[in-house]
Amino acid sequence: MHIPPFDNHNKAIVDVDDTHVPLTYFNIVKLKVGERFDYRLAGYETCVVPATGTVTVEVAEQVFADIGTRGADVWDGDPEGVYVPTNASARITARTDTEVFIAGAQFAETLTPFAARSGDIDLVQYGSDDTKTHRKIKHILGTDHHDRVGRLLVSELFTVGAGGWSGFPSHKHDTDRLPDETRHDECYNFRFKPDYGSGLQMVQRVDNEPGDAYHIINGSTVLIDNGYHPCCALPGYEMYYFTILGGLSQRSLKQYFQPTHAAQLHTIPGIMDMVETFK
């Protein structure tokens, strides 16, 4: 499902118990310096990630100051975030004008809040210019935080250079059938550089049968409930997408690669190392 960009007035774009991706939650909050935003989600753990600007996050009587170092856009430095446990009240205070992503996943237990600073980010780069798959992943809640988070995975994905494919070879994660696959609902928010760039999100429900395609632009949100789902940026444009994964039975993601294209796993440098980082 494609949700075109719109002014959400700081209300959830993907709310709790969403029809398509009930395991995830997504909100974009825009604040001027000094403004505050309060929230509390029952049944969902969340992560507060400034796309731009700097915030202070107060949660469970703890204060996490000066979260976020980016200025102009999401390419302007590494991300930072604050983990907000299920059922915990959180207050976001803008230290500068800011745009904040709130990513969430369904989880019943209440854990302990913490900050993920830029130095804590797991960085993975794989693919190649020759295969048109060169990209970089910055895991905000990655493998290093596995024991501190319930079901939520949060990362930022960048194409390296202009144009190219991401999420290929095509994979899916819509059915719990370990050890081959896990069910993880997924939500993306896209940005392009320059911001008038665009791309394409494919969703192929069944191997070797026609699927759907969405024209994605700066600010597009895409919900992945089932099917194989590669995406691409037009030549000449850089693409970024904020990625939220919520697992049904476990946090670690087990992708099932599309049989038709699985042989290309051996042609793309570093891809199996990338797969191991979604834990």
Side-chain angles (χ1 to χ4, degrees):
M1 177 181 178
H2 176 226
I3 303 173
F6 69 102
D7 187 351
N8 64 314
H9 300 288
N10 294 347
K11 295 181 180 179
I13 295 172
V14 182
D15 212 341
V16 299
D17 298 321
D18 180 80
T19 303
H20 299 280
V21 286
L23 302 180
T24 64
Y25 171 91
F26 178 53
N27 195 4
I28 296 177
V29 175
K30 296 179 180 179
L31 302 173
K32 297 293 186 182
V33 60
E35 291 182 338
R36 295 174 173 176
F37 179 81
D38 296 330
Y39 78 95
R40 176 180 176 273
L41 289 181
Y44 286 76
E45 59 185 350
T46 56
C47 185
V48 175
V49 179
T52 56
T54 302
V55 301
T56 292
V57 181
E58 301 171 65
V59 54
E61 300 183 349
Q62 295 191 51
V63 178
F64 301 97
D66 298 325
I67 301 294
T69 63
R70 296 187 286 207
D73 55 34
V74 293
W75 283 268
D76 188 19
D78 289 328
E80 295 190 324
V82 172
Y83 173 77
V84 178
T86 301
N87 297 322
S89 296
R91 167 168 288 179
I92 303 168
T93 303
R95 311 305 299 173
T96 66
D97 291 356
T98 185
E99 179 184 19
V100 176
F101 297 143
I102 302 178
Q106 204 173 86
F107 186 61
E109 299 176 37
T110 299
L111 303 178
T112 302
F114 63 89
R117 298 288 184 173
S118 57
D120 303 324
I121 301 304
D122 296 333
L123 176 63
V124 180
Q125 190 162 325
Y126 79 95
S128 67
D129 294 336
D130 289 342
T131 59
K132 307 296 189 294
T133 59
H134 206 176
R135 70 172 182 166
K136 181 186 299 180
I137 304 174
K138 297 179 179 181
H139 290 286
I140 301 162
L141 294 183
T143 54
D144 288 346
H145 304 108
H146 183 75
D147 295 332
R148 306 177 72 181
V149 182
R151 296 286 186 270
L152 179 62
L153 290 159
V154 181
S155 57
E156 297 186 332
L157 290 85
F158 300 78
T159 57
V160 177
W165 285 87
S166 187
F168 188 83
S170 308
H171 63 269
K172 72 182 187 76
H173 39 74
D174 55 38
T175 306
D176 252 357
R177 52 187 189 103
L178 288 168
D180 297 321
E181 182 181 1
T182 55
R183 177 183 166 185
H184 278 71
D185 291 352
E186 192 163 25
C187 173
Y188 301 144
N189 185 262
F190 287 89
R191 303 296 162 98
F192 290 88
K193 187 177 182 180
D195 62 8
Y196 50 82
S198 65
L200 181 73
Q201 174 73 64
M202 294 173 56
V203 181
Q204 189 176 8
R205 311 291 179 181
V206 180
D207 190 22
N208 288 323
E209 292 189 11
D212 301 317
Y214 308 117
H215 179 207
I216 49 177
I217 63 174
N218 199 62
S220 285
T221 298
V222 171
L223 311 182
I224 305 294
D225 55 348
N226 65 77
Y228 306 101
H229 47 276
C231 58
C232 66
L234 294 179
Y237 300 99
E238 294 181 57
M239 183 173 74
Y240 157 101
Y241 52 111
F242 185 72
T243 302
I244 307 165
L245 283 157
L248 177 64
S249 61
Q250 65 178 43
R251 182 168 185 261
S252 296
L253 173 69
K254 178 62 176 178
Q255 302 156 319
Y256 178 75
F257 286 93
Q258 188 171 1
T260 297
H261 306 300
Q264 295 201 46
L265 285 168
H266 305 291
T267 69
I268 299 174
I271 193 167
M272 297 313 296
D273 292 334
M274 177 277 295
V275 169
E276 290 302 314
T277 65
F278 282 92
K279 303 295 185 184

